[in-house]
Amino acid sequence: MKKVLVTGGTGVVGKTLVKQLIKKGCDVRILTRHKFHAGAGNFIDLTTFSGKDQGALNGKDHSLSKIELFSGDIRDADALARAVKDVSTVFHLAAVLDNYSLSRKDHFQGKNLYDVYREVNVKATEMLVKQACKAGVDRIVFFSSISVYGKNGRDNFADETTPFCPDSLYAVSKAEAEKYVLAGINHKKQPIGVVLRPASVYGPREKKNYTRLIKIMQHGFFVTVGKGRTKRTLIHDHDLAKAAIIAAEHPKARGKIYNVSDGRVHSLNDIRQAIAKALDKKYVNICIPEKLVCFLIFLLGKFMNGRSIASGLENMVTDMTVSADKIQYELGFKPEMQLDEGWQDAVKRAI
Ligand SMILES: NC(=O)c1ccc[n+]([C@@H]2O[C@H](COP(=O)([O-])OP(=O)(O)OC[C@H]3O[C@@H](n4cnc5c(N)ncnc54)[C@H](OP(=O)(O)O)[C@@H]3O)[C@@H](O)[C@H]2O)c1
């Protein structure tokens, strides 16, 4: 694996992956809609990919010269054809995750989230696989999501054989895109795709849910539903990037699907305690009875406008857990970041 393409290389997970690839000695091409520059504005600061802060490059920072910029939209077939040229491996992370991921151009063109999910997450993946097969790419590692399993309910635990039950547009788009990835074959008729289904990602760059949690706890309180026993599986972005590199290189990974987590199941209480420990802060825990939340979900669900709040509340009382044994046994992936250490790292840079 010498020359690689990373779509979504500017995102939360992508930046960590790019750093690890550079440290490994790869030449990395990043497909992005933006332009690279050391300045501000609509440009990306290249130094965010620098390995200096981790002491990775022993003084002289060669990392930036290892990055090749490819400016383009993943929905553009020509841009994709150019982007996959001469690369052996593609890490496909580019995606629309939520409303915030819509570009100003999309808004301006009056596109809604449904259109953009289909264009970016599904159709662009189909095109990318097609162009990659044509160009002789040997491996595509696709970042799907455990959301394809839907809400498992209490005590359910999805593994890679659990049927799809996606309950959001995002999850539907990921489930559909996986099929295109798994259908890709090389000239020897071997599958080139590997599907990773990461659990909930956290780490120093995460900007969404967990950052909100950290900010709330910095104010000295926390809200728990019931006894805080709702279960989650997590993965730190450092370990997810590591898993992706293993999936790109391991001969057994071709054509396979792997859940990726730190291998444990955590309650929301465990997560809250790890954050508090990392923040070194005392806090007041405000408990809301679970029955009250379930009643609110029921009431809100009856009104159109309340649906997104109801779904948010439902998430707080629904377990979202997966088994990630397969990637450990089959590919030898060993997560390095357990809860306390992972949150120390995440909090250090989030505050
Ligand atoms: N974060 C999580 O909790 C989580 C959990 C499970 C799975 N995943 C999956 O992991 C992957 C990475 O997630 P993330 O959190 O790092 O996402 P993110 O921070 O939102 O980054 C999304 C990336 O997609 C690129 N992108 C979006 N639309 C594009 C377009 N039209 N053309 C080209 N590039 C486009 C963006 O690049 P530019 O803006 O530079 O163009 C950006 O680098 C995604 O596939 C996601 O579904 C994430």
Side-chain angles (χ1 to χ4, degrees):
M1 191 168 63
K2 183 68 185 143
K3 186 148 189 160
V4 305
L5 168 69
V6 182
T7 75
T10 59
V12 168
V13 180
K15 283 195 186 100
T16 305
L17 176 62
V18 169
K19 275 191 172 190
Q20 288 190 20
L21 287 165
I22 289 168
K23 200 170 161 188
K24 220 178 132 49
C26 298
D27 293 322
V28 182
R29 182 179 287 164
I30 296 173
L31 178 74
T32 169
R33 290 163 298 176
H34 302 274
K35 292 194 166 46
F36 277 62
H37 197 268
N42 199 22
F43 294 98
I44 292 162
D45 184 356
L46 250 186
T47 56
T48 53
F49 295 100
S50 152
K52 260 188 196 160
D53 56 333
Q54 293 176 345
L57 295 147
N58 303 327
K60 196 150 194 278
D61 188 1
H62 298 295
S63 56
L64 307 186
S65 62
K66 292 244 167 215
I67 296 176
E68 184 188 354
L69 161 71
F70 244 76
S71 211
D73 194 298
I74 196 147
R75 292 169 280 190
D76 175 353
D78 291 340
L80 285 181
R82 281 184 286 119
V84 293
K85 198 164 176 279
D86 301 327
V87 305
S88 62
T89 308
V90 175
F91 294 90
H92 179 32
L93 287 77
V96 174
L97 282 82
D98 50 35
N99 216 357
Y100 305 107
S101 318
L102 286 191
S103 69
R104 252 187 270 161
K105 197 169 158 197
D106 292 327
H107 278 297
F108 190 66
Q109 291 176 346
K111 289 187 177 160
N112 62 29
L113 205 51
Y114 175 80
D115 301 328
V116 181
Y117 275 132
R118 289 217 57 79
E119 286 175 10
V120 177
N121 295 7
V122 184
K123 286 192 184 149
T125 301
E126 183 187 6
M127 280 197 297
L128 176 65
V129 174
K130 216 164 150 184
Q131 296 292 354
C133 291
K134 220 160 124 185
V137 168
D138 194 49
R139 192 74 63 100
I140 302 182
V141 178
F142 174 58
F143 283 63
S144 180
S145 161
I146 61 164
S147 64
V148 296
Y149 301 120
K151 296 190 172 83
N152 299 316
R154 282 254 181 265
D155 296 329
N156 279 331
F157 196 47
D159 67 21
E160 291 83 350
T161 61
T162 304
F164 286 152
C165 188
D167 53 12
S168 67
L169 288 176
Y170 167 72
V172 169
S173 71
K174 285 287 178 184
E176 214 173 312
E178 283 189 7
K179 292 181 196 155
Y180 292 112
V181 174
L182 293 172
I185 48 168
N186 65 13
H187 65 283
K188 292 185 206 151
K189 304 271 182 258
Q190 293 170 311
I192 61 169
V194 187
V195 170
L196 299 183
R197 293 179 182 157
S200 193
V201 179
Y202 74 109
R205 299 180 209 284
E206 175 59 52
K207 296 181 276 319
K208 296 169 192 140
N209 292 345
Y210 291 118
T211 308
R212 247 175 264 148
L213 218 63
I214 293 171
K215 295 263 182 285
I216 292 171
M217 290 187 75
Q218 277 180 303
H219 286 99
F221 70 93
F222 189 82
V223 181
T224 311
V225 176
K227 297 205 162 87
R229 287 192 294 222
T230 303
K231 295 183 203 127
R232 290 283 181 275
T233 33
L234 304 183
I235 181 79
H236 190 283
D237 62 24
H238 165 84
D239 280 330
L240 178 53
K242 213 178 105 185
I245 292 173
I246 294 172
E249 293 186 322
H250 203 294
K252 281 194 185 152
R254 284 183 189 280
K256 303 272 183 65
I257 300 170
Y258 298 100
N259 293 337
V260 191
S261 82
D262 63 11
R264 308 247 167 109
V265 173
H266 309 286
S267 68
L268 289 181
N269 266 341
D270 296 336
I271 297 172
R272 183 189 68 197
Q273 277 162 18
I275 298 175
K277 206 163 152 190
L279 286 170
D280 193 21
K281 187 146 180 101
K282 287 205 169 62
Y283 62 94
V284 176
N285 189 22
I286 302 164
C287 289
I288 309 175
E290 192 169 327
K291 280 191 179 143
L292 176 64
V293 172
C294 292
F295 182 61
L296 278 175
I297 293 169
F298 168 74
L299 282 184
L300 286 164
K302 289 206 159 255
F303 304 100
M304 283 296 286
N305 292 344
R307 283 218 178 119
S308 64
I309 307 171
S311 150
L313 286 172
E314 205 178 352
N315 279 344
M316 294 176 82
V317 292
T318 309
D319 293 341
M320 283 182 238
T321 55
V322 293
S323 157
D325 289 349
K326 187 178 166 192
I327 192 165
Q328 298 206 21
Y329 291 132
E330 257 185 42
L331 307 187
F333 165 65
K334 286 192 183 62
E336 286 169 13
M337 292 281 196
Q338 286 306 326
L339 216 51
D340 283 346
E341 190 193 358
W343 281 108
Q344 291 282 356
D345 181 61
V347 161
K348 200 167 56 194
R349 288 201 246 166
I351 53 179

